[in-house]
């Protein structure tokens, strides 16, 4: 096992090209599972390939424990990797795929046999050892790829969207298996995905990236409950947080955002005054309701569409942010709700559900402490 540390790491692929990884500082503790999460092109794979030794750092340092490994080739880093396309050898059996790396490294036969038995047992591959990859299901193939990466007892385990080729049910099943495997083996793991369900359920800590930079690094609870900025707030959650940027005014009884779209209690006044004439207000879709008792926040919206999802319904609506501009609203509501397109609806939320962000920078302001929130970057 090893602690992995990136210090002010940069990767620029070509002259004049924006850096793919842009000054990343990140420590992954021994035995920890850290998920890199972010939109396409934000630098997740590049960061992972840098740790694996498949891409050289343009600048910065990479440490495994107390060893600087910038110059070490991949085979000296003892990392196991699993990619989205499992890249199994099609002409080899499962067993041959598993042992290939160890054989190439001239490991003793007894050792190889012992490892195959152990890994096959761990991943339930015993019945398939004699089959070729094309005779396996997607989930079984993925397990072989995992097994192959584990054969050499890696001290760091790197996974790049390993489940994205699987259908939804299988993905969920494999996600649980991965969590179990990690709990059992405790290998320091960096896991890349753009699926936030995977991120929030698997991660000890989630690293939210955008444009090569870390926006926030925190536990699943932190990135969901105390997003560092509006980007993280909008990215985390399914769907993400509703965000409305508009001017506000105070009529002596309540504070209003936009064209009387959102009513807030006057207790928000001091923070709003600090933030200036225009702010970004955020409320999660699952925290909006029709009849919250004790709710002191109201959002007035125009119904566009109600999606029935079985267990609940998802409302899509517009809120009037200014005379010219409407903002979008999504709310998770009771499946029994009946509304018509164009209807005006007043949704409520408790004031604790309201997040405030600086309109310019997007930084979240802690309403309780009235100071800019700091990102949990370790
Ligand atoms: N070999 C390469 N040469 C030049 N540019 C590259 C190369 N690989 C990646 N990039 C660029 O670097 C940036 C980051 O790419 P990267 O593959 O790390 O993103 P990602 O977060 O893994 O995205 P995705 O979710 O789509 O896999 C992108 O702008 C991409 O176009
Ligand atoms: Mg990628």
């Amino acid at each position: 096992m090893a602690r992995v540390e990136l210090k002010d790491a940069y990767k620029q692929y070509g002259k004049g090209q924006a850096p793919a990884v842009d000054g990343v500082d990140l420590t992954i503790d021994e035995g920890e599972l850290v998920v890199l999460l972010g939109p396409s092109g934000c630098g997740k794979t590049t960061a992972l390939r840098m740790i694996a030794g498949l891409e050289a750092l343009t600048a910065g340092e990479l440490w495994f424990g107390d060893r600087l490994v910038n110059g070490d080739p991949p085979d000296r880093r003892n990392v196991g990797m699993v990619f989205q396309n499992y890249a199994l050898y099609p002409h080899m059996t499962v067993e041959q795929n598993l042992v290939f790396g160890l054989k190439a490294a001239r490991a003793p036969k007894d050792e190889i046999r012992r490892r195959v038995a152990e890994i096959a047992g761990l991943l339930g591959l015993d019945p398939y050892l004699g089959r070729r990859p094309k005779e396996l299901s997607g989930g079984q193939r993925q397990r072989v790829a995992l097994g192959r990466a584990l054969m050499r007892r890696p001290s760091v385990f790197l996974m790049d969207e390993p489940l994205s080729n699987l259908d939804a049910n299988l993905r969920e099943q494999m996600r649980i298996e991965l969590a179990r495997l990690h709990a059992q083996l405790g290998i320091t793991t960096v896991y890349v995905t753009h699926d936030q369900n995977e991120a929030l359920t698997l991660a000890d800590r989630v690293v939210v990236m955008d444009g090569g930079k870390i926006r926030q690094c925190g536990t699943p609870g932190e990135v969901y409950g105390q997003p560092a900025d509006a980007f993280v707030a909008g990215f985390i959650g399914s769907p993400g947080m509703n965000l409305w940027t508009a001017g506000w005014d105070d009529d002596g009884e309540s504070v209003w955002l936009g064209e009387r779209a959102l009513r807030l209690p006057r207790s928000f006044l001091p923070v709003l005054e600090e933030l200036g004439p225009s702010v970004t207000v955020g409320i999660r879709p699952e925290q909006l309701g029709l009849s919250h008792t004790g709710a002191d926040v109201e959002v007035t919206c125009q119904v566009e569409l109600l999606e029935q999802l079985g267990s609940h319904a998802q409302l899509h609506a517009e809120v009037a942010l200014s005379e010219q501009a409407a903002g979008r609203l999504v709310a998770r509501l009771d499946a029994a709700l009946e509304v018509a397109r164009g209807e005006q609806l007043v949704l409520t939320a408790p004031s604790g559900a309201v997040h405030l962000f600086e309109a310019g920078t997007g930084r979240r302001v802690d309403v309780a402490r009235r100071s800019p929130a700091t990102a949990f970057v370790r």
Side-chain angles (χ1 to χ4, degrees):
M1 308 310 122
R3 184 169 50 91
V4 175
E5 200 172 352
L6 286 161
K7 288 186 181 169
D8 204 14
Y10 284 84
K11 176 69 193 184
Q12 192 173 22
Y13 282 107
K15 274 215 169 94
Q17 204 178 324
V21 166
D22 192 0
V24 162
D25 279 306
L26 176 66
T27 302
I28 300 135
D29 288 327
E30 207 166 301
E32 197 180 18
L33 194 159
V34 163
V35 173
L36 306 185
L37 178 70
S40 186
C42 73
K44 306 180 293 294
T45 296
T46 301
L48 204 69
R49 289 175 59 85
M50 281 163 46
I51 297 171
L54 300 171
E55 298 290 351
L57 278 72
T58 309
E61 295 177 357
L62 173 63
W63 293 78
F64 279 16
D66 49 16
R67 198 160 56 103
L68 182 69
V69 297
N70 281 49
D72 286 5
D75 57 358
R76 286 200 45 206
R77 298 187 185 194
N78 195 24
V79 296
M81 279 201 84
V82 178
F83 298 99
Q84 176 176 3
N85 56 349
Y86 340 112
L88 299 174
Y89 297 108
H91 58 288
M92 292 186 190
T93 63
V94 168
E95 180 161 6
Q96 287 165 337
N97 267 285
L98 288 177
V99 304
F100 185 79
L102 279 187
K103 270 203 172 149
R106 299 184 185 281
K109 279 205 170 103
D110 284 2
E111 165 72 7
I112 293 182
R113 217 170 298 132
R114 229 184 4 257
R115 295 292 295 155
V116 169
E118 192 184 329
I119 296 295
L122 193 66
L123 292 164
L125 289 171
D126 284 311
Y128 315 112
L129 287 173
R131 291 202 200 168
R132 288 179 213 290
K134 68 168 191 292
E135 298 162 331
L136 300 174
S137 72
Q140 290 160 350
R141 273 180 226 167
Q142 192 54 280
R143 253 174 275 167
V144 178
L146 285 171
R148 188 179 53 180
L150 290 171
M151 282 291 282
R152 299 177 75 174
R153 299 184 196 275
S155 47
V156 178
F157 202 12
L158 304 175
M159 291 189 260
D160 194 353
E161 313 223 14
L163 308 185
S164 58
N165 277 344
L166 306 178
D167 68 43
N169 282 337
L170 201 50
R171 201 151 65 206
E172 200 164 317
Q173 203 180 316
M174 282 299 294
R175 195 171 76 202
I176 295 164
E177 281 194 37
L178 282 177
R180 178 180 59 84
L181 204 63
H182 180 72
Q184 236 169 324
L185 303 176
I187 302 174
T188 308
T189 301
V190 187
Y191 187 103
V192 163
T193 182
H194 54 245
D195 178 331
Q196 50 168 312
N197 281 332
E198 244 167 76
L200 296 178
T201 54
L202 278 175
D204 293 316
R205 278 187 303 148
V206 179
V207 175
V208 184
M209 292 181 66
D210 180 38
K213 290 185 159 65
I214 294 182
R215 288 290 192 134
Q216 185 171 11
C217 174
T219 63
E222 283 165 353
V223 294
Y224 178 86
Q226 297 124 46
D229 58 26
F231 174 83
V232 176
F235 193 77
I236 300 280
S238 42
M241 191 182 284
N242 291 296
L243 295 165
W244 305 298
T245 303
W248 58 273
D249 59 79
D250 164 34
D251 69 3
E253 273 178 38
S254 297
V255 178
W256 299 90
L257 186 83
E259 293 295 295
R260 302 224 141 193
L262 185 75
R263 187 172 69 78
L264 296 170
R266 291 189 84 223
S267 55
F268 281 89
L269 213 47
V271 197
L272 290 169
E273 276 167 350
E274 233 171 78
L275 283 169
S278 178
V279 294
T280 302
V281 177
I283 302 179
R284 291 209 173 274
E286 53 276 27
Q287 286 175 318
L288 287 164
L290 279 171
S291 53
H292 274 121
T293 44
D296 40 14
V297 175
E298 284 179 3
V299 188
T300 304
C301 63
Q302 296 272 334
V303 174
E304 285 184 321
L305 174 74
L306 190 71
E307 275 180 297
Q308 282 296 344
L309 298 173
S311 64
H312 65 279
Q314 198 155 283
L315 174 79
H316 297 264
E318 282 191 342
V319 292
L321 294 183
S322 71
E323 273 177 36
Q324 302 83 30
R328 316 211 43 84
L329 173 149
V330 179
R332 193 187 168 102
L333 301 173
D334 193 326
L337 179 70
E338 282 179 26
V339 285
R341 188 183 162 80
E343 196 176 316
Q344 192 172 75
L345 209 57
V346 178
L347 301 176
T348 59
S351 54
V354 174
H355 296 262
L356 293 179
F357 304 87
E358 280 175 357
T361 63
R363 278 231 288 177
R364 189 173 66 91
V365 173
D366 199 321
V367 179
R369 286 189 300 121
R370 277 192 229 157
S371 61
T374 44
F376 293 94
V377 177
R378 264 210 267 172

